Amino acid sequence: MSGAATYADWIAVDWGTTHLRAWAMVGDQPKAEATSADGMGTLARDAFEPALLRLIEPWLGRGVMQVVACGMLGARQGWCEAPYVAVPARPGDLNPIDAPVQDRRISVKIIPGLSQASPADVMRGEETQIAGFLAREPDFDGVLCLPGTHAKWVRISAKEVVSFQTSMTGELFQLLSQKSVLRHSIGAQDEDPEAFAEAVSDTISRPEKLAQRLFSLRAENVLNNLSLQAARARLSGYLIGAELASARPYWLGQDVAIAGSPNLGQAYAIALKTQGMEPRVFDAGPLTREGLARVHASLTESA
């Protein structure tokens, strides 16, 4: 799908820190898709509307086009701050706020993120992904794991987000593998599932040894020729294992679903299986768009 001239009933937008993605929607089905590198992190406040119009111009007609958006455009540094909604909350029924627009051809609704007072935590964008998951699994009662740069563990009951916990696992992996002394010992590919599973179990059993185990990757490479692939697998296993140790109250004895990219989702599934769990794995790719469709439907119902 591309940004060529296309009929649309409404437009769905996922606006991240580094990228902007939009879909021309008819009902709950995408008819075209367009992306750009105009992420929140590159834009001044007055640049959001022009960036959006550059992307969706071919889909605009003579009337007012409704745009339903989630993500970092609603952050304090974004287009217009959409204040967090405290949990417990139903992510499919959040009330979007209106963004200030100059172009009369569009009306932009921004979905708020979720917040938790104690322990303090926030999410922005993931709430719409959760709404998409619940559109598929309306009776789900358990814990949803959303692995990524900042992984979320989300307790769901009666279609509500009851509580959640965030871990910076993906960002830590990126920093350690690319910016720390370990960058000399970490390969570009992970091809050692046995080393990964062993590292997960080691860290869950002794999480207090994480810092020591991390440096051992460098020492093992220098002294014992630990392969770059095995070192990468161990680094991933150590960090995901530490995350699982921290999130144990969430996943232990629960119905667990994982929604992430295929490779990352499978890595978390393997990690949980070392602990006797049997999580279900979902491709997170379409869930944000499906969540945007759920919120749009609720707006239409209440109109």
Side-chain angles (χ1 to χ4, degrees):
M1 294 185 288
S2 71
T6 300
Y7 172 79
D9 288 335
W10 64 284
I11 295 172
V13 170
D14 179 16
W15 211 318
T17 302
T18 59
H19 288 85
L20 166 62
R21 176 176 294 177
W23 297 270
M25 303 290 292
V26 175
D28 61 359
Q29 296 300 311
K31 297 303 179 182
E33 178 179 344
T35 61
S36 78
D38 288 322
M40 182 275 287
T42 66
L43 299 174
R45 179 155 288 178
D46 61 0
F48 279 84
E49 184 173 347
L52 178 63
L53 289 170
R54 283 194 297 271
L55 198 63
I56 67 172
E57 186 86 33
W59 305 337
L60 301 182
R62 294 182 179 179
V64 178
M65 180 68 71
Q66 185 176 76
V67 179
V68 180
C70 70
M72 296 306 294
L73 82 163
R76 188 171 299 170
Q77 302 80 15
W79 186 349
C80 176
E81 184 176 7
Y84 291 109
V85 175
V87 295
R90 290 194 171 198
D93 297 331
L94 299 174
N95 292 320
I97 69 163
D98 292 307
V101 295
Q102 301 299 317
D103 195 307
R104 294 185 178 180
R105 295 174 297 169
I106 58 173
S107 168
V108 179
K109 302 282 189 179
I110 303 176
I111 300 172
L114 297 180
S115 66
Q116 178 176 273
S118 182
D121 213 331
V122 294
M123 68 169 71
R124 195 177 288 282
E126 292 92 350
E127 77 294 322
T128 307
Q129 200 171 52
I130 298 166
F133 172 79
L134 287 173
R136 291 190 182 190
E137 300 284 327
D139 298 323
F140 181 77
D141 194 310
V143 171
L144 176 63
C145 174
L146 301 170
T149 303
H150 298 152
K152 307 286 183 183
W153 292 84
V154 185
R155 184 171 286 114
I156 296 170
S157 181
K159 299 181 183 180
E160 284 190 333
V161 172
V162 178
S163 65
F164 61 97
Q165 176 176 304
T166 304
S167 294
M168 293 176 59
T169 305
E171 187 169 0
L172 286 172
F173 182 88
Q174 182 180 28
L175 290 170
L176 289 168
S177 62
Q178 297 179 13
K179 302 293 185 181
S180 79
V181 68
L182 296 182
R183 70 187 185 277
H184 304 296
S185 305
I186 303 297
Q189 303 256 332
D190 175 355
E191 299 176 353
D192 198 329
E194 186 175 330
F196 170 79
E198 184 179 343
V200 168
S201 295
D202 286 348
T203 309
I204 289 177
S205 63
R206 297 291 300 277
E208 74 277 7
K209 295 179 70 66
L210 174 62
Q212 178 269 322
R213 286 197 174 104
L214 291 175
F215 188 78
S216 74
L217 296 174
R218 175 62 177 162
E220 286 271 359
N221 174 247
V222 171
L223 299 177
N224 300 327
N225 295 315
L226 177 70
S227 74
L228 302 185
Q229 292 80 11
R232 185 180 183 88
R234 285 194 193 177
L235 175 60
S236 179
Y238 288 151
L239 293 176
I240 291 177
E243 179 184 330
L244 292 189
S246 172
R248 192 192 302 267
Y250 274 80
W251 54 262
L252 188 63
Q254 298 293 318
D255 180 12
V256 177
I258 301 169
S261 64
N263 288 342
L264 193 55
Q266 286 300 324
Y268 272 70
I270 291 169
L272 282 166
K273 285 177 181 179
T274 68
Q275 305 304 302
M277 303 294 294
E278 290 292 336
R280 291 179 290 155
V281 182
F282 295 79
D283 180 2
L287 293 183
T288 298
R289 187 191 69 238
E290 293 171 13
L292 288 162
R294 174 66 188 87
V295 173
H296 175 262
S298 71
L299 290 172
T300 303
E301 291 164 4
S302 62

